[in-house]
Every structure is written in C-alpha cells, then in structure tokens.
Amino acid sequence: MTKKEINDVGIQSYTPYKQSANTLFNFMRERKFLIENIQNMKMYPRYVEENVSYLNLKIGKQKINNISFPMLCFCDIPVHKLRDHVDGDSKTNSMGYGKYGIGLDKKWCEEKGFQPITYLNTTSKACRELSAILNKGLQNIYEEKDIEEDFFDYLLDILKLSKPLVGQMHMEDVCVNKNFHDEREWRFLPEVPNHNEEFFNDATNPELMTPEVRKKLSEGLKGEPVTHIDLEPAAIKYIFVDTEKDRDELINVISDSFKENLIEGMTLASKILVYEHIEGDW
C-alpha cells in the first residue's frame, strides 16, 4: 500500500473512540427545552456569554472581558462519569448543567461539523500568541485601518473555540469555579444568514451583553432554519429526564409526533433514561 493510499484510508474511515465517549451530550435544566427539541426534532443554538479576560484583549483603551456568540455546547464524557457534570461538584461548589439531556452519536456529530474546543494554558506560548494576534486585529479595527475580513473572521472562530483550562463562569447568577478541561467540550457554531458578523463584547456594545438581549437574540435564531441542528432518530443514543413523570410526558410527546411512524417513535422512546433510577448506579 502506498503512502497516499494509507492517508486516504485514514481520512475515509471512522475509528471508534477508546479513551473518550462515542456520544456527545447536551444537558439542560428545564424540561420544556428537551420537550421542544424532541417535539420538533431540532436543537436550537443560543447566544452564550464567554469570559475572555485571560486573553487581555483591548480595543483602544477599553478592555474586553466578555463576548457573546451563538452556539450549542456538548460534553465528551463517558456515561459513568457524567454525575458531576449533571449534578455539580460539592467540593468546588460547581453547579451541574441539569438532568434533562440528549446524547448524540459522535460520528454523526462529526459529520455535522461539530468541533472539539481548544483548552489554553494561560501561561503558555499558544495563549500569548492568540492574545497578541487578536489584539493586532482589534487595534486595526479601532484605528479604522483596512483589515482582511476573512482572516479576522477566522481569528474570531478560533476565539469561539477556545477556553482556559480553568476559570470562573456564571451559572444561575452565581459565579462558580470550573475545571473546564474536565468537560471535554465540543461546540456547534451555526452560520447565521443575513447577519453581519459582529464581535459582541462588553467594551464596544455592552447593551447587547445583558441576559435579556441574549435571550431575545437566541429566540431570533429560531426563525433562521439553517442555524438549527436537525435531529435524526437514529443519531439519538440517549434521552435523559429527571423523573418518571417526565418520562411519561415525553412518551406522550413522542407518540403525538410520530403517529405516522410508530416503530420509529417506539424506538426513540426506548432511549429514555430516568435520572433518578440510574444516579445510584454511577
């Protein structure tokens, strides 16, 4: 076999994961979001605030501490290690992400363009270099100099797929410490049509950084079908609900949504796991 043939085989084949999960999980705190996802067989990105103070970004003399952009977040954690992610960790006072969730086949996610994020050691050369090149671009914008838009958009995509190893984040209006690397995060970044790529940040447009505005912008994305993840029943490996009552309600939703394909609906319902049944076995 030639070197080219070996490379081609590597590109075309799919090798299951051994040290990480073969499922990507998205958890949420409210049942209504899970029901909406299953009822419509879609997942909807939302605008999320990210702390970027570790990069020491500035535009003019104003420091940028937080940015906001649309995404959907998933964790790459084996099922038997999900408890801290779902429930939280009392040792660090870190809150969990909720007991309602969807687990998607990782191969399918890769085909849809999901991307694992890069975790930056804030004392590393990689972190310093990213900070420096982003600040050069921001300075050019501030001075209204010509800038290669495609190149700056590429830098913003790198920023959107970066996170420090550890840091703080707001969860339900509480600032908590997080070991982000433990979450092994993947992200889906939607293409937003008819939307000039804006660098939403707390320095130049703080009015767009409030929870109320982020919620409004997120609702607006629901009117843009190309931003959604269109779910396929075969791609869904797990559906998590908190209680038996939640399970029964979700089964009713699936029954109504899959009247024309009962077998497919029953197969989807069989993937429901009740969290209160399994948490003692983790």
Side-chain angles (χ1 to χ4, degrees), residues 42 67 82 86 89 139 154 156 160 179 202 230 239 281:
K42 294 180 182 293
I67 63 173
L82 280 172
V86 172
D89 182 2
Q139 186 62 24
Y154 173 71
L156 290 183
K160 293 173 184 178
N179 183 316
D202 56 1
D230 292 314
I239 302 173
D281 296 327

Side-chain angles (χ1 to χ4, degrees), residues 108-160:
W108 183 86
C109 293
E110 289 182 11
E111 292 169 351
K112 297 298 180 181
F114 292 30
Q115 176 67 29
I117 70 171
T118 297
Y119 290 98
L120 292 170
N121 175 358
T122 56
T123 63
S124 69
K125 179 182 178 183
C127 188
R128 293 194 299 271
E129 288 178 342
L130 179 59
S131 174
I133 197 167
L134 281 168
N135 274 317
K136 284 183 179 179
L138 291 170
Q139 186 62 24
N140 285 342
I141 291 174
Y142 178 73
E143 296 177 0
E144 299 183 347
K145 293 181 179 179
D146 289 337
I147 184 170
E148 180 59 50
E149 290 187 11
D150 289 344
F151 178 64
F152 192 69
D153 287 346
Y154 173 71
L155 290 179
L156 290 183
D157 283 341
I158 293 177
L159 178 61
K160 293 173 184 178

